[in-house]
Amino acid sequence: MKYIFVTGGVVSSLGKGLTAAALGALLELRGLKVRMQKFDPYLNVDPGTMSPFQHGEVYVTDDGAETDLDLGHYERFTSGKLSRANSVSSGKIYESVLAKERRGDYLGVTVQVIPHVTNEIKERIVKGGEGVDVLITELGGTTGDIEGLPFLEALRQFQLDQGRDNVCFVHCALVPYIRAAGELKTKPAQQSTAKLREIGIQPDILVCRTERPLTLEMRQKMSLYCNVPVSAVVECRDVPFSIYELPLMLASEHLDNEVIKSLHLENHPHIRHRNLLQWKDIVRKLKYPAHHVKIGVVGKYIELQDAYKSIYEAITHGGIANDCGVEIKRIDSEELTEQNIESLKDLDGVLVPGGFGDRGIDGKIAAARYARENGLPYFGICLGMQIAVIEYARHVLGLEDATSTEFNPETKNPVVDIMEEQKQIVNKGASMRLGTYDCSLAAGSNAQAAYGEENISERHRHRYEYNNKYRDALVAAGLKVAGTNPTLDLVEIVEAENHPWYVGVQFHPEFKSKPSAPHPLFAAFIKAAIERQGRRSAAK
Ligand code: GLN
């Protein structure tokens, strides 16, 4: 069993998660069984209670863990399925240490960061890697952060326990370009490496995030000061076109070869070469697509880069499936009104993603209405599905005050309502309907056509549900039920009749989409957008 630890220095947002994920992809290409794991030094037990402003998207795994968005990158770049064991925060570590202390597991001793907290961390590493050849663990935050110290200490001990040949440290650091000096500076990378060495960790590989190419001289300098071989100084430039170029770029810098060397793993150059073509093909499809569509995403966190990460990625994958480039137009739902709704007319499709709270709801309802009335493909996800139900109830059934009890607990027409079991909940953390649930698809529906299957399972993260009391009326009015949960009889998918593609899903399909395996609903949505474009240009 081999372990790789990825740390970051100088600043955050270095793309450490993507680097780790791309490394995972490269090792998989050599036929190794890889799993990825994230350590987050914050004290929240999980990111489920943090706002997208704090944290970006909350990614949900099959087993219902609310995790860091880096796990989304891991699942998109590698084939390994992740679970709650692969997302560990300080909060989770301390929660477990304190529970053991109360239970009396440590009876008689003083409970301390070393060894009790560090042992707990080391146990999580071992557990996270069960059943694979290589575990890649990314440590969140930046070296030098106080919160990160117990983790780094545990990683140091871990290498001592497992032996140098079994543990490889990859350090990502910024090599900034200073315009006034007209050159790249290696000092920050040197200092953050020094910080690691102070703790007793000597990185084996240095990944340098930089805007400009590293010269041989600079590589030599960093090799000398950071104590890594020149060949292990890896340049990582911004990928010009798509994040899916990253495995190719890092392969050309031989990042995986360095890891193989450091861990004494078997080299499989032929397999690697053949399998790299897979990524080349993905990138080619992204760069030179046959079609182009414009998709509007109507959300309230539109200005944030990371709030709808998996949605944006899954839309891109839907494009890959259709040989189609997708331009994503981010639309702030708070700015959208019935008056300026015509601004959607250039779009080929509109998507309303998940969300919480009543801010921006009216704009989303207006978008859903416009899409429905104008034959514009509509894809509603989680909240976006609830919006479709509210819109339909209001404007087709004529229930003017129809809404979700999330937005108005007193409404006379709660077409979306909180589930009975959710009413008892006092603690907000990890208490939603979370993780994978089964869904049976209705024959002849767009959803069934997309999946090509009758029974599917998808991941959930919500508290409110379609209210079955309105089911007969909504169905009679044309909002068909295309998917239901077979045991709970909850409505999971709705579709508007007499519309080319108007689909709302209560679950989050975006979490299961990969560039190598685009999600069927996203593929079908983009296909519908291409067809709509075709109809429109034919009409012109
Ligand atoms: N706020 C809604 C609910 O809790 C939708 C959640 C979501 O979109 N993820 O049901």
Side-chain angles (χ1 to χ4, degrees), residues 190-388:
Q190 290 175 35
Q191 286 183 342
S192 79
T193 308
K195 200 103 220 129
L196 273 183
R197 285 160 61 193
E198 230 170 73
I199 302 161
I201 294 174
Q202 167 63 53
D204 300 287
I205 298 167
L206 197 62
V207 174
C208 305
R209 283 288 282 130
T210 164
E211 288 172 41
R212 312 212 165 191
L214 297 179
T215 59
L216 178 61
E217 205 189 340
M218 296 182 66
R219 289 179 197 247
Q220 285 164 340
K221 189 169 169 190
M222 276 191 283
S223 157
L224 184 66
Y225 283 92
C226 303
N227 196 30
V228 299
V230 184
S231 62
V233 178
V234 170
E235 173 188 297
C236 180
R237 306 254 298 277
D238 293 339
V239 270
F241 196 78
S242 151
I243 54 169
Y244 301 118
E245 289 175 273
L246 197 56
L248 298 174
M249 192 175 74
L250 293 172
S252 71
E253 282 281 308
H254 307 293
L255 171 64
D256 51 332
N257 293 45
E258 289 303 317
V259 169
I260 296 282
K261 245 196 286 174
S262 146
L263 292 174
H264 302 275
L265 281 161
E266 255 176 79
N267 197 349
H268 293 289
H270 306 300
I271 310 185
R272 174 189 192 256
H273 180 73
R274 192 186 62 216
N275 291 344
L276 261 179
L277 295 176
Q278 214 179 291
W279 283 97
K280 286 198 177 133
D281 195 46
I282 289 170
V283 172
R284 187 189 47 76
K285 282 190 186 144
L286 285 167
K287 275 191 172 161
Y288 311 107
H291 310 276
H292 278 280
V293 293
K294 202 185 214 181
I295 300 294
V297 174
V298 182
K300 73 173 166 176
Y301 294 114
I302 229 66
E303 76 280 16
L304 299 178
Q305 198 53 11
D306 287 343
Y308 305 114
K309 189 116 230 159
S310 295
I311 295 275
Y312 296 145
E313 292 309 319
I315 291 176
T316 305
H317 306 161
I320 294 175
N322 289 285
D323 202 356
C324 179
V326 187
E327 182 191 335
I328 296 176
K329 190 169 172 210
R330 302 174 179 204
I331 301 164
D332 185 344
S333 52
E334 286 188 279
E335 315 251 288
L336 206 58
T337 61
E338 290 282 357
Q339 283 68 48
N340 64 15
I341 200 72
E342 280 296 318
S343 59
L344 303 187
K345 81 172 189 300
D346 295 338
L347 298 176
D348 304 304
V350 66
L351 186 149
V352 176
F356 295 84
D358 63 356
R359 203 155 56 76
I361 289 302
D362 292 339
K364 293 179 187 176
I365 294 175
R369 179 180 198 173
Y370 180 87
R372 182 177 57 77
E373 290 177 347
N374 292 280
L376 181 64
Y378 177 86
F379 195 5
I381 291 179
C382 207
L383 176 69
M385 176 256 202
Q386 299 172 355
I387 291 287

Side-chain angles (χ1 to χ4, degrees), residues 90 94 113-114 117-118 121 145-155 157:
S90 289
Y94 279 96
V113 172
I114 306 172
V117 169
T118 47
I121 295 171
D145 295 348
I146 290 179
E147 291 95 337
L149 288 176
F151 284 99
L152 288 173
E153 168 61 18
L155 303 190
Q157 294 174 14

Side-chain angles (χ1 to χ4, degrees), residues 9-74:
V10 188
V11 290
S12 57
S13 302
L14 278 180
K16 197 163 31 102
L18 276 171
T19 303
L23 174 59
L26 290 176
L27 295 180
E28 268 197 351
L29 295 186
R30 292 173 180 266
L32 290 163
K33 218 164 160 216
V34 177
R35 190 167 311 127
M36 317 266 324
Q37 183 180 42
K38 178 86 195 269
F39 283 164
D40 277 302
Y42 50 70
L43 283 173
N44 303 61
V45 172
D46 64 43
T49 53
M50 283 189 235
S51 114
F53 281 109
Q54 290 284 314
H55 191 270
E57 157 188 288
V58 172
Y59 186 79
V60 181
T61 55
D62 269 343
D63 64 345
E66 295 175 284
T67 72
D68 188 81
L69 58 84
D70 277 322
L71 270 84
H73 292 315
Y74 304 164

Side-chain angles (χ1 to χ4, degrees), residues 353-357 381-384 386 406-407 416 432 461-465 506 508:
F356 295 84
I381 291 179
C382 207
L383 176 69
Q386 299 172 355
E406 180 178 10
F407 315 134
V416 175
M432 284 188 255
R461 181 175 186 252
H462 56 104
R463 241 177 259 288
Y464 295 80
E465 299 284 351
Q506 187 58 80
H508 287 278

